[in-house]
Amino acid sequence: MTVRGDLPAPQQGLLLTHFLTVSDVAVSRRFYADVFGGEVVMEENPAIVKVANTWIIMNPGGGPTPDKPGVTLEAPQSGERVSSFLNVRVADIAAFYTHAATKGADFLTEPVDRGSELRCYFRDPDGYLIEVGQSTGLLVGIQAAPPAESS
């Protein structure tokens, strides 16, 4: 088992990590390390990949435990409806898009110009949605248009 000194363990205050319930730890660990250029800090139990200034923690699902009674963790069942997603900000979306695609990221679309930013989405091996965005117009005060009202 590989363990490195860069674990998400603050000496004071707090830090934010992102936990994913995954169906295959090795596949997900490799995906996040390759696509995001992350460093594998722990291989499993749980798998931890440091990406830029955060950590992605991955473990298989399971039933309730004493510290989370009544809660079952499971990987996404469908990609059609989501309640959250990972939001990644990049300095150069074209370079990231090219790199990630060569590492196996399957984008829903190419980057789209939204006025305030360029952005696109892809899914990880379990179907978790990931947004990648580059601020453009936002840097000069242009905000995204409000969502269209549904009829």
Side-chain angles (χ1 to χ4, degrees):
M1 169 155 85
T2 300
V3 178
R4 297 199 175 115
D6 203 5
L7 294 170
Q11 294 181 354
Q12 61 183 13
L14 62 89
L15 60 81
L16 189 62
T17 66
H18 193 71
F19 180 91
L20 298 173
T21 304
V22 299
S23 56
D24 187 322
V25 172
V27 167
S28 293
R29 180 184 64 234
R30 187 171 43 254
F31 177 85
Y32 282 95
D34 290 351
V35 169
F36 292 107
E39 174 190 359
V40 176
V41 177
M42 286 183 62
E43 291 183 9
E44 57 185 271
N45 284 337
I48 302 175
V49 177
K50 184 175 185 196
V51 177
N53 58 353
T54 193
W55 291 262
I56 298 174
I57 301 172
M58 296 158 273
N59 241 353
T65 58
D67 56 339
K68 59 175 182 44
V71 176
T72 298
L73 297 177
E74 60 183 31
Q77 300 302 306
S78 166
E80 295 173 0
R81 292 182 179 263
V82 297
S83 61
S84 68
F85 55 88
L86 187 62
N87 185 302
V88 178
R89 309 309 293 173
V90 296
D92 182 343
I93 199 166
F96 180 85
Y97 181 88
T98 300
H99 164 80
T102 64
K103 295 294 185 177
D106 185 17
F107 287 87
L108 280 62
T109 66
E110 292 183 1
V112 173
D113 188 342
R114 306 259 308 154
S116 64
E117 67 179 344
L118 301 169
R119 76 176 187 210
C120 54
Y121 294 85
F122 65 101
R123 295 186 185 282
D124 82 350
D126 283 291
Y128 285 105
L129 189 63
I130 301 168
E131 174 186 307
V132 179
Q134 176 185 343
S135 294
T136 53
L138 190 61
L139 299 174
V140 293
I142 299 171
Q143 293 185 314
E149 292 190 30
S150 58
S151 45

